[in-house]
Amino acid sequence: MTKTSAPAAKGDAISSVAEAEVTADKVAAAAAKAEEMEQLRLDIDQHNYRYHTLDAPTLPDGEYDRLFQRLQKLEQQCPELITVDSPTQRVGASPLHEFTQVSHELPMLSLDNAFDASDLQDFERRIRSRLEDTLNTAEYQGRELEFACEPKIDGIAVSLLYEQGRLVRGATRGDGMIGEDITQNVRTIKSVPLRLVGKGYPQRLEVRGEIYISKSTFEQLNQAAMQAGEKLFANPRNAAAGSVRQKDSRLTAKRQLTMFCYAVGQVEGGEIPQQHSEILNKFKSWGLRINPASEVVKGVDACVDYFDRLSKNRAGLNYAIDGVVFKVNDRLLQAQLGILTRTPRWAIAHKFPAEEGISRLLAVEFQVGRTGAITPVARLEPVKVGGVTISNATLHNMDEVNRLGLFINDTVVVQRAGDVIPKVVRVMQAGEHQQVIALPAQCPACGADIVQTASEVIARCEAGLACQAQRKESIRHFASRLAMDIEGLGDKLVVQLVDEGLIQSPADLYALVASELVKLERMAPKSANNLLQALDKSKQTSLAKFIYALGIQEVGESTARSLANFFGDLDLLRRADVEKLQQVQDVGPIVALKIARFFSQADNQAVVNDLLAAGITFEAVSVDEPSVVLQGLTYVLTGSLTQLSRNEAKARLQAMGAKVAGTVSKKTSVVVAGEAAGSKLVKAQALGLKVIDETELMDLFAAHET
Ligand code: IVH
């Protein structure tokens, strides 16, 4: 503190000396506090590291709590001294409206699969033949190939970015090119260091790994959910996925997520070792948690042995795995092998076979989907498969029922593979009192006739929105996250609203009023208001989401986006004929017909009109002005692009009039080869096609885009 007025009298001078001393004391005390706080943070980080990364705590829990509380107390006294990476700051921040997108500078790849030892042998053979020259050099000659073997964690892949050792961003994998920013959520995970420990980490380091929920935590979560009468999670992976994508990170903080790190992304301003296994060791020394079950082995036979050993230990692990990942350990060799489209040639996942269980078919029910498709669903005697109780399984369609030769009361084998809906794979024994499974003649929901054309395997109720079941499903779809994203409008509420006769079509949602809503069971005024607000918010959307939300048969998210980009305007789309529709990327004759038919139906036209009248607006679309620059040319994109995502490159080429195809053929005009382009590039060269690189592509855009 500084005094502005000069001391006039002697007494004043004395008091100002005393004051100065007091001030100096205060400054010293504050400095001491700041120092103590930093020391506490370092100590707590160190103990977190020992506890979470090394799994070797050296401090009793009570002692740790004491340090933590002391830091909290000091931070309360001096809130201005709280740092973002203080260990107290993991509790979660205020809810987000939306996740922002993150574009991965290096794509997050997926893995090719092997299902048996011979697939693994092929894998090694391919590698050996590609690396022939290198493996014949003095350095490698006579040596077996080294593989890093790791459990394949059944969780959620994420990327963590550290700058100067500080966690600055966490992102989901998304489609590999573009993910979502989940920094707030990642910060709540105790095994993710907010600051790296130790020395020698690169200034910019991207670490990749898997976030998961342990089996024991998963059980506890479901216990708690059951007691609270809430919906249970199907498996640990779903629980982890839901927690990682929570908009309210305070909820994420409660889920006790954890993480194993297994790969490196970007590295700047520093060196990392040449062997993958050494990198993992470095990770550990920097406080990042790695899987202790990883091993380095020589040759593919040892990989098979690792797989067998891990299969036996699988049940004893406290985390779910769905296989083993084998990676060429030497990063120089990895670089030479490169990437094939989205999967590296130097790694492979050996998946465990799907898990099976035995049950009895009690009954078959017929469900009506959004577009009227009738699906037979098996009701089974509950059976535990891979730790999850299964009592329903899909039978897909009547052809499948016949193929299986299935009757009610048969003993059946049911299978569940990871996230996939369980299915009946075969009949094990015919039941004593077999009953025939017959497709009903009338829709179980509305009583309309069920129609099955000769050319289609799928039977349908053609009553459209007049059918309650289809109505519910289409409203559910309309409200879903990738469509109108109406928060709080879950499945149960849709059923309630339709059953109570409050809504008949998606458009009726926007006419709901609080006084009606509060009459519903379990609907407090606050929830009613939240719903109305969410509905209001959903009115500002994009044309692509709106088209997707309409639930036109065969129009998924990506086709909806193509349609929006092509027409840029709903009216033009509504009036488009089949020929015009086929000009849109990915729209063939069948899809074009479905779209045209949808808009030709009066009921659908009315729903769309009502929705627009309710005030739905679209953000401006930059229409793919059918530019003529690249008219008649077919481009193929291959390899990874660094300055923009592949989807973006595709959209921009299309906007310039080009067709963008997925495979190289004689008809291809130009191949754009990004980094580590693989077989498509080889084929293009073999066919003598024009090949350009990313820089030339960017030049092309720069020269022609306005
Ligand atoms: S490495 C370049 N290692 O498996 C390879 N992936 O199918 C990048 N996964 O998206 C992945 N455990 O989510 C790698 N030890 C492990 C893994 C692992 C689980 C997941 C990951 C990836 C998927 C690939």
Side-chain angles (χ1 to χ4, degrees):
M1 233 189 276
T2 46
K3 242 183 162 230
T4 43
S5 56
K10 209 179 167 195
D12 262 5
I14 290 168
S15 77
S16 89
V17 168
E19 246 175 53
E21 274 169 9
V22 171
T23 312
D25 283 353
K26 269 194 191 155
V27 170
K33 253 189 198 166
E35 203 174 305
E36 185 187 353
M37 285 163 83
E38 177 57 11
Q39 192 56 48
L40 281 166
R41 284 195 285 262
L42 288 172
D43 288 350
I44 295 169
D45 280 351
Q46 206 29 247
H47 293 301
N48 272 340
Y49 165 59
R50 286 175 185 284
Y51 186 92
H52 292 288
T53 310
L54 302 183
D55 202 11
T58 47
L59 197 68
D61 286 0
E63 206 41 31
Y64 175 88
D65 292 345
R66 200 188 59 74
L67 292 179
F68 200 88
Q69 280 155 13
R70 171 79 186 145
L71 178 59
Q72 273 180 323
K73 189 168 158 208
L74 291 175
E75 286 182 341
Q76 254 166 25
Q77 289 169 3
C78 321
E80 71 282 3
L81 294 180
I82 300 177
T83 58
V84 275
D85 44 21
S86 166
T88 58
Q89 303 302 300
R90 289 188 183 269
V91 281
S94 37
L96 296 171
H97 285 301
E98 211 146 68
F99 293 109
T100 41
Q101 290 198 329
V102 168
S103 128
H104 299 297
E105 290 172 49
L106 290 175
M108 287 183 79
L109 303 169
S110 50
L111 293 168
D112 195 9
N113 290 323
F115 294 97
D116 54 28
S118 92
D119 287 350
L120 286 180
Q121 275 144 9
D122 288 347
F123 168 64
E124 190 183 35
R125 208 169 303 131
R126 283 197 301 271
I127 291 177
R128 286 207 157 272
S129 93
R130 278 203 164 253
L131 293 177
E132 205 177 341
D133 292 346
T134 311
L135 297 181
N136 278 332
T137 58
E139 198 188 339
Y140 290 98
Q141 207 166 31
R143 281 174 41 186
E144 288 221 65
L145 268 178
E146 274 193 357
F147 292 100
C149 314
E150 298 165 8
K152 186 168 186 297
I153 315 297
D154 202 4
I156 309 302
V158 291
S159 141
L160 305 178
L161 186 62
Y162 287 91
E163 285 176 354
Q164 266 55 264
R166 282 164 201 270
L167 175 70
V168 294
R169 195 195 69 194
T172 59
R173 174 174 183 276
D175 64 2
M177 300 288 176
I178 293 177
E180 288 177 324
D181 188 321
I182 49 158
T183 312
Q184 286 204 3
N185 292 349
V186 165
R187 287 173 54 85
T188 68
I189 303 174
K190 297 222 177 71
S191 50
V192 170
L194 301 177
R195 291 194 290 192
L196 296 178
V197 299
K199 292 193 292 281
Y201 42 77
Q203 291 183 355
R204 194 153 191 269
L205 172 70
E206 187 198 356
V207 177
R208 291 171 176 182
E210 202 88 352
I211 290 182
Y212 68 93
I213 280 183
S214 72
K215 288 184 191 165
S216 47
T217 305
F218 167 72
E219 293 297 333
Q220 286 166 16
L221 278 179
N222 265 357
Q223 282 288 338
M226 195 143 72
Q227 271 158 22
E230 290 164 6
K231 210 166 148 183
L232 303 191
F233 293 110
N235 53 43
R237 201 194 105 86
N238 282 1
S243 310
V244 161
R245 295 198 69 268
Q246 266 295 338
K247 291 194 180 135
D248 186 347
S249 54
R250 289 166 301 193
L251 285 175
T252 312
K254 291 189 187 144
R255 297 277 170 84
Q256 293 191 56
L257 295 162
T258 182
M259 176 171 184
F260 280 132
C261 301
Y262 53 61
V264 67
Q266 278 189 299
V267 176
E268 278 167 34
E271 293 288 315
I272 51 161
Q274 190 183 325
Q275 306 298 319
H276 171 76
S277 51
E278 299 287 314
I279 297 177
L280 296 187
N281 289 337
K282 282 280 182 211
F283 277 2
K284 187 169 172 181
S285 78
W286 297 330
L288 297 158
R289 189 157 173 269
I290 58 169
N291 193 324
S294 305
E295 274 179 32
V296 177
V297 304
K298 288 189 165 56
V300 79
D301 291 344
C303 290
V304 176
D305 177 61
Y306 179 89
F307 180 82
D308 291 342
R309 280 185 283 133
L310 199 72
S311 309
K312 288 198 191 96
N313 288 343
R314 184 180 182 189
L317 299 173
N318 192 16
Y319 48 87
I321 60 175
D322 56 353
V324 172
V325 184
F326 300 112
K327 304 172 182 172
V328 170
N329 200 28
D330 189 324
R331 302 229 317 149
L332 269 183
L333 299 183
Q334 287 185 4
Q336 279 185 32
L337 287 164
I339 294 163
L340 182 75
T341 334
R342 302 293 282 268
T343 59
R345 288 202 190 81
W346 44 264
I348 200 158
H350 188 178
K351 291 278 201 63
F352 292 129
E355 293 170 286
E356 293 186 343
I358 293 167
S359 175
R360 197 167 60 90
L361 181 63
L362 302 176
V364 171
E365 281 173 20
F366 290 84
Q367 278 181 356
V368 190
R370 173 167 58 82
T371 55
I374 307 285
T375 308
V377 176
R379 302 282 174 231
L380 302 160
E381 224 160 44
V383 53
K384 244 189 164 172
V385 181
V388 175
T389 305
I390 291 178
S391 39
N392 302 314
T394 177
L395 293 167
H396 301 293
N397 51 55
M398 287 310 285
D399 275 14
E400 175 75 356
V401 171
N402 296 331
R403 190 187 67 78
L404 291 166
L406 188 62
F407 291 87
I408 290 165
N409 282 328
D410 285 354
T411 301
V412 294
V413 177
V414 285
Q415 189 182 75
R416 141 172 199 273
D419 235 12
V420 184
I421 304 167
K423 59 177 188 178
V424 173
V425 284
R426 59 183 176 273
V427 174
M428 220 177 82
Q429 202 182 359
E432 272 190 23
H433 305 285
Q434 282 190 324
Q435 282 171 39
V436 176
I437 301 164
L439 180 73
Q442 268 87 37
C443 169
C446 73
D449 286 349
I450 287 181
V451 183
Q452 184 168 20
T453 55
S455 62
E456 271 201 321
V457 261
I458 295 175
R460 287 180 199 280
C461 159
E462 294 205 327
L465 288 183
C467 168
Q468 284 256 350
Q470 289 178 61
R471 205 179 281 162
K472 285 174 190 166
E473 287 304 317
S474 58
I475 295 171
R476 199 180 291 188
H477 171 81
F478 182 84
S480 64
R481 194 170 61 82
L482 296 174
M484 301 298 280
D485 193 15
I486 305 172
E487 224 168 301
L489 186 55
D491 296 357
K492 282 196 188 134
L493 187 51
V494 171
V495 171
Q496 250 182 317
L497 289 168
V498 175
D499 287 346
E500 294 295 321
L502 291 182
I503 55 174
Q504 311 244 351
S505 83
D508 297 339
L509 284 167
Y510 295 102
L512 287 170
V513 288
S515 58
E516 278 173 353
L517 285 171
V518 291
K519 287 187 204 145
L520 295 173
E521 220 176 291
R522 286 195 305 273
M523 176 67 80
K526 185 155 187 275
S527 325
N529 261 328
N530 287 346
L531 178 63
L532 292 176
Q533 270 177 18
L535 279 162
D536 215 39
K537 194 177 133 209
S538 75
K539 287 183 189 170
Q540 262 104 55
T541 185
S542 67
L543 181 57
K545 285 186 168 198
F546 182 76
I547 296 171
Y548 174 67
L550 292 177
I552 306 166
Q553 260 183 56
E554 306 286 338
V555 177
E557 219 205 324
S558 122
T559 308
R561 211 176 306 138
S562 303
L563 289 167
N565 288 342
F566 185 88
F567 290 102
D569 178 85
L570 187 63
D571 258 350
L572 292 178
L573 168 65
R574 287 171 84 171
R575 289 203 303 265
D577 59 17
V578 175
E579 272 83 65
K580 186 85 194 164
L581 286 163
Q582 284 189 62
Q583 289 174 13
V584 181
Q585 186 75 22
D586 298 333
V587 174
I590 296 176
V591 181
L593 198 66
K594 300 259 182 198
I595 300 169
R597 206 182 278 164
F598 178 91
F599 285 114
S600 70
Q601 280 170 9
D603 289 357
N604 295 332
Q605 289 281 11
V607 170
V608 173
N609 287 339
D610 289 350
L611 284 168
L612 295 177
I616 286 179
T617 54
F618 313 119
E619 54 198 39
V621 190
S622 52
V623 194
D624 307 346
E625 190 61 48
S627 154
V628 286
V629 182
L630 304 179
Q631 195 89 60
L633 298 181
T634 303
Y635 277 68
V636 173
L637 297 163
T638 179
S640 46
L641 302 175
T642 53
Q643 299 176 54
L644 75 180
S645 74
R646 212 185 288 184
N647 273 341
E648 195 186 330
K650 181 173 164 184
R652 286 165 74 172
L653 284 169
Q654 286 170 349
M656 290 166 71
K659 257 191 87 170
V660 179
T663 49
V664 174
S665 73
K666 275 188 291 189
K667 289 191 195 140
T668 310
S669 324
V670 182
V671 172
V672 181
E675 268 174 37
S679 61
K680 287 184 194 167
L681 175 58
V682 176
K683 190 163 176 197
Q685 284 160 344
L687 290 172
L689 301 175
K690 178 173 177 187
V691 177
I692 64 169
D693 64 13
E694 186 174 354
T695 320
E696 289 167 279
L697 177 70
M698 296 313 286
D699 289 347
L700 177 73
F701 289 151
H704 296 287
E705 284 175 350
T706 42

